[in-house]
Amino acid sequence: MSFETDTVHPSTVALTDDPRQHPMVFAATFNSGSPTAVAELYEQRAVFVPQPGAPLTGAALASATAQFLALGVPITVRPRHTYVVDDIALLIVDWVIDGIGPDGGRVHIEGTATDVARRGADGLWRYIIDNPFGVMAQPDE
């Protein structure tokens, strides 16, 4: 799968009102290759943890997600658990990015995410914490 620039993709994404579906919405949006569409899955002050112990927000979050998209390889997700209290959901999700990258090399990254999503005033769910390697040890452990 090859991703083009963001301009060839729509900038909107169909968010979900069902927190159990949020990981699938993420996967479909990630696989579109659009950084703009992926950004819509996060609250404005969200935290993304691309490696254990390294939380990012704002422009750094956008840059890190763009680096994952630049791998040019699709993601698959398998939700394990969704726990919801009021407008907060804890999502435990197994995921794999696996395939051939733009340079012809093999790409294989996987993890079990511990993510937190919140239902917005519009009834739709967005990440407030995206921790894709949630069960890995911190670098100094």
Side-chain angles (χ1 to χ4, degrees):
M1 171 177 282
S2 174
F3 295 123
E4 300 297 324
T5 63
D6 191 38
T7 58
V8 299
H9 303 285
S11 63
T12 59
V13 72
L15 296 171
T16 183
D17 61 1
D18 181 351
R20 295 169 298 172
Q21 295 300 313
H22 191 66
M24 279 66 78
V25 170
F26 175 82
T29 304
F30 182 97
N31 293 340
S32 79
S34 169
T36 303
V38 170
E40 292 181 31
L41 299 172
Y42 295 85
E43 286 194 358
Q44 184 177 5
R45 295 181 7 212
V47 172
F48 176 55
V49 187
Q51 56 185 321
L56 304 174
T57 60
L61 181 156
S63 177
T65 57
Q67 289 176 16
F68 276 94
L69 292 173
L71 295 171
V73 178
I75 191 170
T76 57
V77 298
R78 187 177 58 84
R80 281 194 203 186
H81 306 286
T82 302
Y83 303 109
V84 180
V85 175
D86 299 325
D87 293 332
I88 302 292
L90 173 63
L91 309 167
I92 310 297
V93 181
D94 295 321
W95 60 272
V96 176
I97 296 173
D98 187 63
I100 304 301
D103 64 356
R106 183 95 185 149
V107 175
H108 183 88
I109 307 169
E110 63 183 286
T112 298
T114 53
D115 298 332
V116 179
R118 178 171 27 215
R119 182 180 15 233
D122 59 4
L124 303 175
W125 292 86
R126 293 172 183 84
Y127 289 118
I128 55 175
I129 301 171
D130 180 0
N131 187 16
F133 300 102
V135 298
M136 292 180 65
Q138 296 291 335
D140 59 337
E141 292 182 341

